Amino acid sequence: MNPDLARLQPYPFERLRQLLAGCTPPAHLAPINLSIGEPKHATPQLIKDALVAHLGGLANYPLTAGTDALRAAIAAWLTRRYDLGALDAATQVLPVNGSREALFSFAQAVVDRSRDAVVVAPNPFYQIYEGAALLAGARPLFLPTTPDNGFRMDFGTVAAAVWAKVQLVYVCTPGNPAGRVMTLDDWRELFTLADRFGFIIASDECYSEIYFDESRPPLGGLEAAQTLGRHRFERLVVFGSLSKRSNAPGLRSGYVAGDAAVLKQYLLYRTYHGSAMSPPVQAASIAAWNDEAHVVDNRRQYAAKFAQATPLIGRVLATRRPEAGFYLWAQVPGGDDEDYTRRLYAQYNVTVLPGSYLSREVDGFNPGRGYVRIALVAEVAEVMQAAERIAMLGNRP
């Protein structure tokens, strides 16, 4: 077996299951699970209808690059969303089976394991970044994102000698879990480093369509590149998905877009990887990318939940509404996120995720310790029930 498998750590939700083992929550309280970022809003009917209408496509092998129509739909959406001057659907866009598999496989295509390779990622982070780096034969380098640095990756803390070994940088914007959006200055600094040291940027933007001001959508990587004169999106690939945008996590549909030269090589990898998207899923995806009304309604539902739940939870936990995304990143009393998670479950049957499970300890410091991630994904009534129970648990350790 691949010896790098032994370097993988247990997935956060397996750790959570073990943490809560032996706890018996009150039977009279219905369970409320806010630990996982799985959208619970209804999948739009137009997606279901398109999927069913194209079931005949199951008789055909799909192309790895997807249909021209799907790539065109994704390119058109990206152009509208980020006001892009030009995006070539044939060379700068690829459909993928959800951003998760693409974020993982991208590292396998990018990393040259014949050299001492470093992959940079935020800390806390989506665990796929770490697994992808390790199984590509690279060494992860985690940059802590904390209140002290405004939840930004401080690229200036990395020495030039280390940057010389970096082959891939993962960024997540809006961020998971704190919801921070990278600024144009952040992007300018990162592009400058990429040009100097030759690494590729993988921008995870799966939360880009959940925000709270319709007049101020979050800045994306392609948009930042164009604004800074990088019209060919050199060294940049962005990752997006219908899971959060369209409440269709089971569809496993997303895209990668950006540098055509990088995507050409990534497509070669994917041809052998065997990851072509099913024709019915492609048809359903086209319907989703071509419709914005359901996305606006989705944001309205999240905005209502955050407006009602955040003040209530904020009475007992230090938290605030994020810039974007559907998580509250909340500091717990006493600083023991595992103990808080167990008490909340044991006393009130509400499940959240310890922040330390989303982070790695570096030099004795785990930037997620003392926090919990609360996913406001359920319907508003259930979210408010959870918020009331969190308030009842109070702010005593």
Side-chain angles (χ1 to χ4, degrees):
M1 299 297 291
N2 185 341
D4 288 332
L5 288 169
R7 303 171 66 192
L8 300 181
Q9 298 200 29
Y11 214 64
F13 304 107
E14 173 59 22
R15 295 180 65 185
L16 179 62
R17 187 189 66 79
Q18 294 175 10
L19 175 71
L20 301 181
C23 288
T24 303
H28 69 283
L29 293 177
I32 302 177
N33 187 353
L34 303 182
S35 68
I36 187 168
E38 180 181 51
K40 299 298 184 183
H41 299 171
T43 303
Q45 189 63 40
L46 65 92
I47 296 178
K48 299 177 184 178
D49 289 345
L51 186 69
V52 172
H54 291 84
L55 289 178
L58 293 175
N60 306 111
Y61 280 120
L63 296 174
T64 304
T67 63
D68 292 344
L70 176 56
R71 292 198 309 276
I74 295 169
W77 178 81
L78 286 165
T79 301
R80 292 192 304 271
R81 167 64 173 84
Y82 296 109
D83 195 22
L84 302 178
L87 189 66
D88 186 356
T91 64
Q92 293 179 310
V93 174
L94 282 177
V96 295
N97 293 318
S99 57
R100 173 176 173 156
E101 72 90 357
L103 287 162
F104 177 84
S105 63
F106 190 66
Q108 317 312 303
V110 167
V111 171
D112 177 2
R113 63 170 60 232
S114 70
R115 299 186 288 122
D116 184 10
V118 173
V119 172
V120 173
N123 193 20
F125 62 96
Y126 182 37
Q127 193 141 340
I128 294 301
Y129 310 155
E130 179 186 50
L134 292 173
L135 289 174
R139 173 168 52 93
L141 173 64
F142 298 112
L143 301 187
T145 58
T146 68
D148 291 342
N149 60 24
F151 297 107
R152 65 181 294 272
M153 295 172 71
D154 190 348
F155 303 118
T157 61
V158 181
V162 178
W163 279 121
K165 298 179 180 180
V166 172
Q167 298 185 19
L168 177 63
V169 173
Y170 282 110
V171 297
C172 185
T173 181
N176 172 10
R180 182 186 183 273
V181 177
M182 287 179 63
T183 67
L184 190 62
D185 285 340
D186 294 331
W187 281 110
R188 181 183 288 108
E189 181 182 11
L190 187 56
F191 289 144
T192 299
L193 288 166
D195 289 343
R196 178 181 174 187
F197 294 102
F199 58 77
I200 293 171
I201 303 163
S203 182
D204 181 356
E205 302 182 7
C206 71
Y207 300 97
S208 69
E209 302 315 291
I210 302 173
Y211 52 91
F212 308 101
D213 183 346
E214 289 294 324
S215 67
R216 296 183 60 193
L219 177 69
L222 298 178
E223 181 182 12
Q226 177 179 266
T227 301
L228 296 172
R230 304 173 69 87
H231 299 288
R232 292 184 297 151
F233 313 116
E234 304 93 281
R235 302 191 175 282
L236 171 67
V237 173
V238 301
F239 298 71
S241 169
L242 291 174
S243 295
K244 278 76 173 176
R245 173 190 181 270
S246 299
N247 301 310
L251 197 65
R252 307 315 305 137
S253 178
Y255 66 82
V256 296
D259 188 325
V262 175
L263 291 187
K264 181 178 181 180
Q265 294 298 104
Y266 184 45
L267 176 58
L268 173 63
Y269 173 87
R270 294 183 68 78
T271 302
Y272 284 84
H273 185 51
S275 51
M277 185 184 294
S278 164
V281 172
Q282 293 194 54
S285 301
I286 292 170
W289 291 119
N290 285 340
D291 181 77
E292 206 65 29
H294 75 276
V295 188
V296 175
D297 182 66
N298 195 40
R299 281 196 290 271
R300 179 192 58 77
Q301 294 181 64
Y302 280 114
K305 284 187 286 188
F306 273 93
Q308 295 178 58
T310 305
L312 185 55
I313 295 173
R315 293 177 191 173
V316 294
L317 302 180
T319 191
R320 60 173 179 78
R321 193 189 72 179
E323 292 182 58
F326 53 44
Y327 299 117
L328 284 178
W329 186 233
Q331 194 169 17
V332 302
D336 189 334
D337 50 309
E338 288 186 312
D339 175 70
Y340 179 87
T341 299
R342 278 182 63 91
R343 288 192 295 117
L344 180 63
Y345 178 71
Q347 296 180 40
Y348 292 101
N349 211 356
V350 175
T351 309
V352 295
L353 187 67
S356 57
Y357 292 4
L358 294 166
S359 310
R360 292 291 175 263
E361 185 171 300
V362 179
D363 297 328
F365 173 61
N366 183 320
R369 184 170 292 122
Y371 289 83
V372 292
R373 193 186 73 178
I374 305 172
L376 301 191
V377 291
E379 298 296 339
V380 63
E382 191 173 16
V383 166
M384 290 310 297
Q385 287 182 31
E388 290 166 1
R389 296 182 199 178
I390 290 170
M392 285 189 289
L393 184 63
N395 57 9
R396 290 178 297 176

